[in-house]
Amino acid sequence: MLTEKTMEKLRILAESAKYDVSCSSSGTVRGGKQGMVGNTVGGVGICHSFADDGRCISLLKVMLTNYCMYDCAYCVNRRSNDIPRATLAVHELVEIVMEFYRRNYIEGLFLSSGVVRNPDYTMERLVAIARDLRTVHRFNGYIHLKSIPGASGELMSEAGRYADRMSVNIEIPKEESLKLLAPEKDHQSVFQPMQFVQQRVLENQEDRKRLRRVPRFVPAGQSTQMIVGATADTDRDILHMSSVMYSQPTIRRVYYSGYVSVNTYDPRLPVLKQPPLVRENRLYQADWLMRFYQFSVEEIVDEANANLDLEVDPKLAWALRHPEQFPVDINRDDYEKILRVPGIGVKSAVLIVNSRRFNRITSYHLKKMGVVMKKAKYFITCHELTDGYANPIVGINELHPERLKPLLVSKAQQKKAADELQLNLNFEEEPC
Amino acid sequence: MLVYAFDRTFDGLLSAVFDAYSLRQHPDMLMGEGEPLPLFCEEVHEVTTADDRAARVWAGLEKRLSKQALRMLMVSYLSELPELDTPLFQYIYKVFQQPEGRTSLERNFSDADVLAVTNIGRKVIHEQHRMLQFLRFQKAKDGTYLGVVSPDHNVLPLTVAHFKDRFRDQPWLIYDAKRRYGFYYDCQEVIRITFQHEESLPFDLDSGQLNDEVISKDDKLFQDMWRTYFKAICIRERMNPRKQLSDMPRRYWKYMTEKQ
């Protein structure tokens, strides 16, 4: 029987867990089973609510305990912080998950934990929750577990049998920056559990080819997260790390978390009035370009542009740097080229290549299909804009990128970007 | 201008297509019976709904369209939007103008009618997904879980399979407060229900809350717990009510525990 006390614990532990941005319940389809409750739907997953900060609530994101033996500068739960601490008992958490799930509040559990005593002890308790949910309460919904670096192979293997997804956070893309903020950690300690899970997933896939009834191991793969703006690392460093991650067969998502100044007293950290939200947004857009738009990381950020332009999105920024690629002929060019036009997304690109087999696509059709013509009109041709001198073509090559850019950036966007750059200046002045 | 008037059922719409071909006419517009006629309307034909004719048209569609396209027709009809009638009719009419066998008309999104039907269908599917997201159950004393919704489109039938698969070991009732009907699952099968006497409803139609005498004893605790969690998970430095509203429009808040 749960009481008000449990509610207070839940509040404390949710507050501690909220800076981890991973939320998705995607990546695996598993229908309901006889005698069990729950299923997973795959696709984009289901977000059950949206908090006042606009972030989705899909899984019950909570820590088992926020006591921690580490002292990482960027973390709200570092041992030197004076914050309320709590630990949930196994039966308490399990009951909350089941009751929330049955009321359609959540898709499942995202369980993380501070490291107490030693990694094995902590991992053991995470596994105990997952085991209890799956075997005693017959829970068939989504479970996302954190891999605790340094935990033993047996525990990790058991965790993987119950979990849909496992994750371990890189947090800082460059090792020297990580060493500065978290001297007790290094990249190896993150990659090692990641590698271990990957190895087991691949083995499991081989086994399942031979024997179909072998239970699946971490079917939704792994994810990871990087903090943005806590160190001097550039977007190029971050995106290169993401690109390496996506080249791994089991890494499904990399999340970017704009640093929220939680430990303002630490001189190693920048003091930010506002988390770098625009930059975080641009990183996600770049991430999407790599995953769905067939961009390579060097096309998005290179030596000359190590940081993303905050005023325009990375796809538009690429287009402005490469006027020679345009105009794209909507009726002739390949799907891949159409996908690269600013203002055309995956959905409209698919509609275009499907429809142009029937008749010539004009700008009227494009508008109806949902293309953002305000942007796209400078980068495309449908062979209808040339009606003599009265209506000359105005495209990127006629206008030149430097004159086109101001036309595509709104005042509000400019202001937002400028505000954030100002904060960055504060950061530069900070003595390190 | 030639106008067909029908009873706004799906069978009625299919019968209208049958009539158009048997009378060798091509109506410009399809509209519900009793609706005010448009200007310049020269002739009105009243469509009589006939199941056998509708079935023949549907069988013809099955021969010519893919499963996904057929589903899109059904789904778009659930939108209950009056502006769908004419495009949906024209779409089906055009399918039969094509030679028998698979037609690729369904993929021609530069056709205004196909695009209109597809876009409305997408809207309906979007709202169906929102029901899976935002429906909230409360537990009654007898163990039945109740969820009340009032969607813009008639999407409840599309959500039943999901809830049946997910909550297979708990009896539940989902109720559409706008259209006054619901689906009840008794751990065996799902049946469509309506209440004969509104005043005997065990819950409040405006808030979706179960009455005090039937709500289970710890349900309030879990509701409070969920509200506490909802508040705790928000990062105050990142407040973004606009994003929240665009993903979770205010019209759904009425029945959502965390926003009550």
Side-chain angles (χ1 to χ4, degrees):
Chain A
M1 188 58 219
L2 303 182
T3 58
E4 299 284 320
K5 229 178 187 170
T6 316
M7 182 145 40
E8 182 57 17
K9 281 192 201 171
L10 179 68
R11 191 185 63 74
I12 293 170
L13 291 168
E15 297 247 5
S16 284
K18 68 184 174 189
Y19 298 101
D20 204 315
V21 288
S22 165
C23 65
S24 70
S25 52
S26 57
T28 175
V29 182
R30 187 173 56 236
K33 288 191 190 125
Q34 199 56 49
M36 292 185 94
V37 57
N39 62 5
T40 62
V41 294
V44 290
I46 297 177
C47 304
H48 281 284
S49 193
F50 292 86
D52 295 336
D53 55 9
R55 299 189 312 157
C56 90
I57 304 175
S58 180
L59 304 170
L60 177 72
K61 193 189 302 179
V62 72
M63 293 185 102
L64 191 55
T65 176
N66 62 352
Y67 288 98
C68 189
M69 57 188 222
Y70 291 122
D71 201 31
C72 313
Y74 48 77
C75 179
V76 69
N77 302 313
R78 59 189 290 189
R79 68 164 179 266
S80 50
N81 262 7
D82 180 23
I83 53 165
R85 307 271 175 175
T87 305
L88 277 169
V90 174
H91 75 92
E92 285 176 316
L93 182 54
V94 167
E95 188 174 348
I96 294 173
V97 172
M98 292 311 292
E99 294 293 335
F100 276 14
Y101 193 82
R102 286 186 181 282
R103 284 170 176 76
N104 206 33
Y105 297 164
I106 53 170
E107 278 296 287
L109 174 66
F110 175 11
L111 187 60
S112 167
S113 177
V115 181
V116 275
R117 283 199 223 170
N118 57 52
D120 269 349
Y121 178 81
T122 313
M123 194 72 209
E124 164 81 61
R125 302 211 321 184
L126 295 187
V127 173
I129 301 263
R131 187 194 305 126
D132 216 40
L133 278 172
R134 289 277 195 243
T135 56
V136 180
H137 294 266
R138 312 294 291 156
F139 177 68
N140 193 31
Y142 202 91
I143 297 182
H144 179 161
L145 288 183
K146 274 260 149 348
S147 326
I148 304 291
S152 75
E154 292 90 75
L155 281 171
M156 295 282 285
S157 303
E158 193 182 357
R161 281 207 300 279
Y162 302 127
D164 287 288
R165 173 167 284 183
M166 292 183 73
S167 66
V168 49
N169 291 347
I170 299 174
E171 304 292 16
I172 310 288
K174 278 190 133 171
E175 186 132 30
E176 50 279 21
S177 318
L178 180 68
K179 277 275 173 232
L180 178 74
L181 294 183
E184 296 148 308
K185 286 187 178 169
D186 55 24
H187 268 169
Q188 200 44 45
S189 66
V190 178
F191 294 145
Q192 192 256 327
M194 222 179 238
Q195 282 294 331
F196 180 84
V197 172
Q198 174 148 313
Q199 191 60 37
R200 289 300 314 271
V201 170
L202 297 179
E203 279 168 24
N204 178 251
Q205 280 167 3
E206 283 303 309
D207 288 348
R208 283 173 57 84
K209 273 181 200 155
R210 267 174 279 138
L211 270 167
R212 258 189 56 241
R213 302 206 70 85
V214 174
R216 299 182 73 183
F217 189 88
V218 194
Q222 306 190 71
S223 68
T224 189
Q225 146 176 326
M226 279 181 270
I227 297 179
V228 179
T231 58
D233 299 335
T234 61
D235 293 341
R236 190 162 175 243
D237 301 326
I238 296 173
L239 289 171
H240 265 280
M241 179 58 92
S242 312
S243 157
V244 170
M245 286 292 127
Y246 286 133
S247 68
Q248 306 289 312
T250 60
I251 304 284
R252 299 285 176 81
R253 274 299 292 275
V254 177
Y255 290 92
Y256 309 93
S257 165
Y259 174 67
V260 181
S261 293
V262 281
N263 305 324
T264 39
Y265 56 86
D266 198 314
R268 289 173 292 173
L269 289 165
V271 180
L272 304 176
K273 260 188 273 170
Q274 260 265 315
L277 295 179
V278 182
R279 187 176 171 204
E280 183 194 284
N281 179 234
R282 296 287 177 237
L283 280 168
Y284 274 114
Q285 288 173 323
D287 189 78
W288 249 248
L289 291 185
M290 293 198 288
R291 286 163 60 211
F292 304 117
Y293 290 79
Q294 305 167 5
F295 276 78
S296 73
V297 60
E298 275 299 306
E299 286 178 297
I300 304 167
V301 273
D302 50 30
E303 247 168 87
N305 308 283
N307 279 312
L308 295 168
D309 190 338
L310 294 183
E311 282 183 352
V312 296
D313 62 83
K315 192 176 172 191
L316 182 56
W318 175 84
L320 290 172
R321 286 201 302 272
H322 293 276
E324 78 282 358
Q325 301 277 342
F326 299 100
V328 166
D329 188 336
I330 289 295
N331 287 296
R332 273 174 215 282
D333 278 329
D334 294 341
Y335 171 76
E336 290 75 20
K337 279 200 90 174
I338 292 178
L339 209 50
R340 292 200 166 209
V341 175
I344 297 183
V346 175
K347 247 186 216 162
S348 23
V350 170
L351 289 185
I352 289 168
V353 290
N354 266 321
S355 312
R356 66 184 183 186
R357 296 162 56 228
F358 299 91
N359 43 267
R360 208 161 56 79
I361 306 295
T362 64
S363 56
Y364 170 79
H365 293 129
L366 293 179
K367 207 175 253 169
K368 283 271 171 201
M369 287 177 194
V371 172
V372 185
M373 285 304 272
K374 212 169 69 182
K375 265 192 214 170
K377 66 178 174 189
Y378 300 106
F379 301 95
I380 56 168
T381 168
C382 323
H383 293 297
E384 56 162 5
L385 301 168
T386 42
D387 49 354
Y389 296 107
N391 194 5
I393 315 168
V394 187
I396 180 166
N397 287 307
E398 288 71 28
L399 270 174
H400 297 292
E402 58 272 27
R403 263 183 287 158
L404 177 56
K405 190 177 166 188
L407 296 180
L408 294 171
V409 184
S410 74
K411 281 260 159 58
Q413 268 173 315
Q414 264 174 343
K415 195 178 166 297
K416 256 193 188 166
D419 283 354
E420 208 168 293
L421 279 177
Q422 223 165 10
L423 295 172
N424 270 352
L425 280 179
N426 286 342
F427 166 61
E428 305 275 323
E429 288 159 10
E430 198 73 26
C432 276
Chain B
M1 193 154 124
L2 173 63
V3 173
Y4 274 26
F6 79 127
D7 59 358
R8 303 217 68 220
T9 61
F10 196 67
D11 280 345
L13 194 134
L14 295 178
S15 306
V17 177
F18 189 95
D19 283 8
Y21 274 97
S22 64
L23 300 171
R24 293 177 188 278
Q25 286 177 328
H26 189 179
D28 304 282
M29 224 184 129
L30 192 69
M31 51 186 292
E33 278 163 3
E35 276 173 42
L37 292 171
L39 219 55
F40 311 119
C41 171
E42 284 131 25
E43 196 189 332
V44 182
H45 167 71
E46 298 275 343
V47 177
T48 347
T49 304
D51 293 349
D52 52 331
R53 289 174 175 186
R56 269 177 70 186
V57 174
W58 186 253
L61 282 175
E62 277 177 336
K63 272 187 220 147
R64 290 169 173 84
L65 292 178
S66 68
K67 276 210 175 99
Q68 294 92 309
L70 286 172
R71 184 177 142 81
M72 211 49 160
L73 297 183
M74 291 296 287
V75 164
S76 68
Y77 174 74
L78 290 177
S79 70
E80 299 185 335
L81 294 172
E83 65 261 32
L84 175 77
D85 296 342
T86 306
L88 185 58
F89 173 82
Q90 299 291 6
Y91 181 176
I92 297 176
Y93 186 90
K94 270 183 242 174
V95 169
F96 287 102
Q97 282 182 327
Q98 316 248 329
E100 191 154 339
R102 272 297 184 76
T103 149
S104 43
L105 179 76
E106 63 189 59
R107 306 215 305 177
N108 184 2
F109 301 103
S110 60
D111 183 296
D113 297 316
V114 178
L115 190 68
V117 170
T118 311
N119 282 344
I120 290 177
R122 270 200 198 146
K123 258 193 213 164
V124 176
I125 289 174
H126 191 191
E127 188 165 50
Q128 171 249 350
H129 186 73
R130 281 186 159 148
M131 290 301 110
L132 311 190
Q133 294 180 291
F134 302 143
L135 183 120
R136 297 286 178 264
F137 281 123
Q138 298 155 64
K139 193 178 180 182
K141 270 193 184 125
D142 67 348
T144 307
Y145 287 78
L146 168 83
V148 182
V149 289
S150 61
D152 296 341
H153 309 302
N154 187 13
V155 291
L156 228 48
L158 299 174
T159 64
V160 167
H162 169 81
F163 288 118
K164 188 181 168 193
D165 188 48
R166 172 163 291 194
F167 303 112
R168 55 173 57 212
D169 68 342
Q170 69 190 46
W172 46 253
L173 165 65
I174 48 180
Y175 192 76
D176 187 335
K178 199 164 162 187
R179 296 169 186 81
R180 302 291 157 98
Y181 79 99
F183 289 98
Y184 176 69
Y185 173 71
D186 59 358
C187 295
Q188 301 293 328
E189 55 187 341
V190 182
I191 45 172
R192 193 192 144 106
I193 55 150
T194 48
F195 287 96
Q196 263 182 347
H197 305 290
E198 292 256 301
E199 57 277 11
S200 69
L201 282 177
F203 53 90
D204 183 31
L205 268 181
D206 290 326
S207 69
Q209 285 287 328
L210 276 171
N211 294 343
D212 287 339
E213 55 269 27
V214 286
I215 197 163
S216 70
K217 132 168 132 314
D218 49 0
D219 202 82
K220 285 272 185 268
L221 175 74
F222 287 112
Q223 289 191 25
D224 282 343
M225 221 176 234
W226 175 239
R227 280 185 209 107
T228 309
Y229 176 78
F230 181 79
K231 275 195 206 107
I233 205 71
C234 158
I235 299 178
R236 274 171 294 278
E237 290 87 344
R238 309 183 47 129
M239 276 303 196
N240 193 348
R242 257 180 74 186
K243 167 89 168 42
Q244 183 191 32
L245 275 177
S246 76
D247 286 325
M248 191 168 80
R250 209 182 285 274
R251 61 181 182 279
Y252 299 111
W253 289 13
K254 200 158 86 168
Y255 301 116
M256 292 176 67
T257 312
E258 61 267 36
K259 282 293 179 191
Q260 274 167 351

